[in-house]
Amino acid sequence: MKLIDYSINKFEQENKEKGNIVIPSSYTVLIMDDELLRIEQERKMETLTQKELANWILKVVEKYLEYFDNREDVKVKKAYDLFNQYKEGNISNIEFRKGVLDISKLSKEATTEIGKYATRAFYQAISTLNMRVNAIAASDNCIKIINLLYPNDKDKVRLERLRQINLIDNYKR
C-alpha cells in the first residue's frame, strides 16, 4: 500500500515507513477489555487504507448512535456530509477539521455517560479520515459503552471486539 493511502498524516506515514507502528497502541480511555482481541484487531486494521479504515470504524460506531443524547442534532448530519465530502476530496483538510469539531461539542452536551462515549466514538470515527489513530480510540469508546451497559461482563466485551474484527474480515474494499 502506498504511504499516502495508508495515511494523509505525515507523522503516521513516517512511522509506517520506519516500521514504528506500535501494537498494541495506548488506550485513551479506561476500559475493561480483551487485550488479545484488541491486538488482533489492530493488526487487521493496519491492512486497511485510511479511507477503508474510516468507513469501517464508522460502520462499527453506527451501532451506538442510538445512545446519543442529541442524535437528531443537525451536527450529526453535517458530520456525515463533511465525512463524505472530505473522503471524495471536495473540501480541504482545514474545512473538514473545523466542521468536525462541532460534533465534539455534542459530547460536552451529553446528559448520560453512555451518551458521552457514543458521541466521542462517532467524533473519532469521523476524524479517522484525518488521523488513523482515531479509529482505535473510537473502537475503545465502543468498548467503554459495553462496560457501562454490562459492568464486569468480559463476555460482552469479547463479543463486541469479535463483531468489530468480523466487520474488518468482511469488509469489501
Side-chain angles (χ1 to χ4, degrees):
M1 156 183 348
K2 295 178 190 172
L3 285 178
I4 193 67
D5 293 330
Y6 177 76
S7 179
I8 64 161
N9 182 280
K10 296 292 184 201
F11 179 73
E12 289 179 335
Q13 287 177 1
E14 288 172 13
N15 281 337
K16 179 71 170 176
E17 190 172 48
K18 294 176 182 174
N20 291 341
I21 304 300
V22 177
I23 296 176
S25 61
S26 299
Y27 283 90
T28 59
V29 62
L30 184 61
I31 57 176
M32 179 187 67
D33 199 7
D34 184 315
E35 294 84 9
L36 293 178
L37 284 177
R38 185 176 186 265
I39 290 168
E40 178 183 343
Q41 178 179 330
E42 282 193 272
R43 286 188 178 130
K44 289 181 182 225
M45 289 165 64
E46 280 297 302
T47 67
L48 301 175
T49 67
Q50 188 166 21
K51 285 182 182 179
E52 291 168 340
L53 184 67
N55 286 325
W56 163 79
I57 192 60
L58 192 55
K59 186 172 178 135
V60 166
V61 168
E62 284 175 340
K63 174 182 178 179
Y64 298 99
L65 290 180
E66 70 179 277
Y67 297 107
F68 268 41
D69 294 320
N70 302 341
R71 68 179 162 270
E72 301 304 320
D73 193 296
V74 83
K75 292 175 190 140
V76 175
K77 183 185 178 325
K78 182 181 176 189
Y80 274 110
D81 291 343
L82 286 167
F83 180 86
N84 289 318
Q85 288 180 47
Y86 187 62
K87 188 172 66 172
E88 299 303 320
N90 296 330
I91 60 173
S92 72
N93 186 307
I94 293 169
E95 290 173 289
F96 175 73
R97 288 174 49 194
K98 241 191 212 180
V100 171
L101 279 176
D102 279 346
I103 200 71
S104 72
K105 294 174 187 171
L106 287 178
S107 71
K108 294 177 178 104
E109 298 168 10
T111 58
T112 66
E113 281 293 291
I114 292 172
K116 177 174 76 172
Y117 288 103
T119 307
R120 285 182 183 172
F122 180 67
Y123 166 72
Q124 289 164 327
I126 296 287
S127 298
T128 298
L129 278 178
N130 192 51
M131 286 190 72
R132 291 180 67 91
V133 70
N134 288 317
I136 194 63
S139 171
D140 288 348
N141 274 292
C142 293
I143 298 298
K144 180 67 173 186
I145 294 167
I146 295 297
N147 291 171
L148 292 169
L149 290 170
Y150 309 99
N152 302 313
D153 192 336
K154 193 101 172 185
D155 289 335
K156 294 287 188 187
V157 169
R158 280 189 202 99
L159 285 173
E160 176 56 21
R161 279 286 178 211
L162 288 170
R163 181 184 79 86
Q164 293 180 18
I165 290 167
N166 286 334
L167 285 172
I168 293 173
D169 291 341
N170 296 322
Y171 188 80
K172 304 282 191 258
R173 293 183 190 183

